[in-house]
Amino acid sequence: MHEASRNFPARLPSGWFQIAYSDEIAPGDVKPLKYFGKDLVIFRTEDGELSVLDAFCPHLGAHLGHGGTVKGSEIECPFHAWRFGPDGLCKGVPYAKRQPRKAKLDRWHTKEVANLVMCWHHSGGEPPQWDIPDEIPEWGAKDGTRNEEWTDWETADWIVRSCNEEMGENAVDSAHFRYLHGTRNLPLSEATFDGPVLRVFSATGMETPRGPVDGSVESLGYGFGMGIVRFKGLAETLNIGCTTPIDQEHCHLRFNFSVKKLGGADITRGVGKAFVNEVKRQVEQDIPIWEHKVHLDKPLLCDGDGPIASYRGWAKQFYA
Ligand code: FES
Ligand SMILES: [Fe+2]
């Protein structure tokens, strides 16, 4: 089924979206990316500045992510060696007497937090209109100091044939947890909508292979792109779920898991594994639903459904 017949939004949403990991882009590295229906190039200058630019060279259209090289604080096109700064401006053409000063590539706004490279996308090309946290305390401080009480990210990712709004609805769809995921209780959750942030808090704990564990789950959704989910109970765990549009029909879903270290490394590993497996199990049950469902503008909701209608009202701001 083509996305047009699935009634997905006509435009890609605005927000902050994960496009890479910081440690994948070392100084001097250049990589091609494809997100937001666009070809992009990501690179880091030798002095450490990260930049994401439109990929196609304004000279004759070469893709800077395929063969482009970092030279000091600039990126050089592989085709005729035009050079661009991290700001996207042309810094020089080695063989031209008159330099094309106006040549430039559009730069995308990026922000690095907890080893995640986040990129701002706006459907109308506007600069960032709201922010995501500057640091994730479980990962460490803004200055790069790590929090040694928590484990490194354990990651997982999927390409899903769906759109952000449909996938994000998962958090407020209370009834599916029991019937699709087989959790024992309908979680008692409350949702609060505050500008671009959607907070969902549930007092019930999480399912484990040994049964449910008492505790709470707090999820903070920063738009559609970044959901910070904290589980508290016998163990404390964190999952940052990031959903990035690739094009109108596909999203790249990444999970970044961390566990608060327990008595011994083996116990921590065991708890981490059980947690990751449970979250993965759930998402792998969601994926076939997401990949085949349609978006109904007027769903037939009933009283146990959770705040789906409020979620949809909140979602509208990301297409403004
Ligand atoms: S196409 Fe990039 S320098 Fe010619
Ligand atoms: Fe789900």
Side-chain angles (χ1 to χ4, degrees), residues 177-179 181-187 204-213 278 281-282:
F177 286 102
R178 178 159 173 188
Y179 299 101
H181 300 315
T183 58
R184 264 153 245 233
N185 304 303
L186 285 183
T204 94
M206 86 178 268
E207 296 289 317
T208 72
R210 287 184 215 111
V213 172
E278 172 58 18
R281 183 187 72 84
Q282 292 201 11

Side-chain angles (χ1 to χ4, degrees), residues 149 234 260-269 271:
E149 293 181 11
L234 277 183
K260 187 166 186 188
K261 292 178 190 165
L262 297 156
D266 286 350
I267 311 176
T268 305
R269 218 171 296 124
V271 169

Side-chain angles (χ1 to χ4, degrees), residues 57 59-62 77 79-82:
C57 182
H59 177 218
L60 279 164
C77 181
F79 208 2
H80 317 91
W82 289 31

Side-chain angles (χ1 to χ4, degrees), residues 28-44:
D29 283 352
V30 179
K31 288 196 174 143
L33 290 179
K34 200 160 192 156
Y35 287 116
F36 319 116
K38 292 263 165 62
D39 284 281
L40 308 170
V41 58
I42 185 169
F43 65 98
R44 202 185 290 276

Side-chain angles (χ1 to χ4, degrees), residues 53-188:
L53 304 176
D54 279 352
F56 299 121
C57 182
H59 177 218
L60 279 164
H63 192 307
L64 288 167
H66 292 278
T69 44
V70 168
K71 298 274 162 73
S73 58
E74 296 164 1
I75 184 168
E76 185 178 284
C77 181
F79 208 2
H80 317 91
W82 289 31
R83 285 205 187 180
F84 301 88
D87 55 5
L89 293 177
C90 182
K91 305 290 179 188
V93 174
Y95 57 87
K97 285 199 196 73
R98 219 173 332 113
Q99 297 290 315
R101 290 279 166 223
K102 282 198 186 124
K104 80 184 239 307
L105 292 156
D106 280 341
R107 183 182 196 172
W108 293 63
H109 290 89
T110 53
K111 173 163 175 161
E112 293 180 86
V113 53
N115 202 42
L116 315 179
V117 180
M118 305 297 296
C119 181
W120 170 259
H121 170 262
H122 187 275
S123 46
E126 299 290 324
Q129 295 170 337
W130 45 271
D131 209 358
I132 48 175
D134 289 329
E135 61 177 35
I136 303 294
E138 293 89 339
W139 174 266
K142 207 175 157 181
D143 66 7
T145 320
R146 290 294 308 277
N147 181 345
E148 296 301 333
E149 293 181 11
W150 288 73
T151 62
D152 274 347
W153 293 135
E154 156 107 20
T155 61
D157 74 320
W158 299 264
I159 305 292
V160 183
R161 201 168 54 87
S162 185
C163 65
N164 284 85
E165 184 171 342
E166 284 288 320
M167 292 166 68
E169 207 162 85
N170 180 79
V172 291
D173 177 351
S174 315
H176 96 289
F177 286 102
R178 178 159 173 188
Y179 299 101
L180 179 65
H181 300 315
T183 58
R184 264 153 245 233
N185 304 303
L186 285 183
L188 262 185

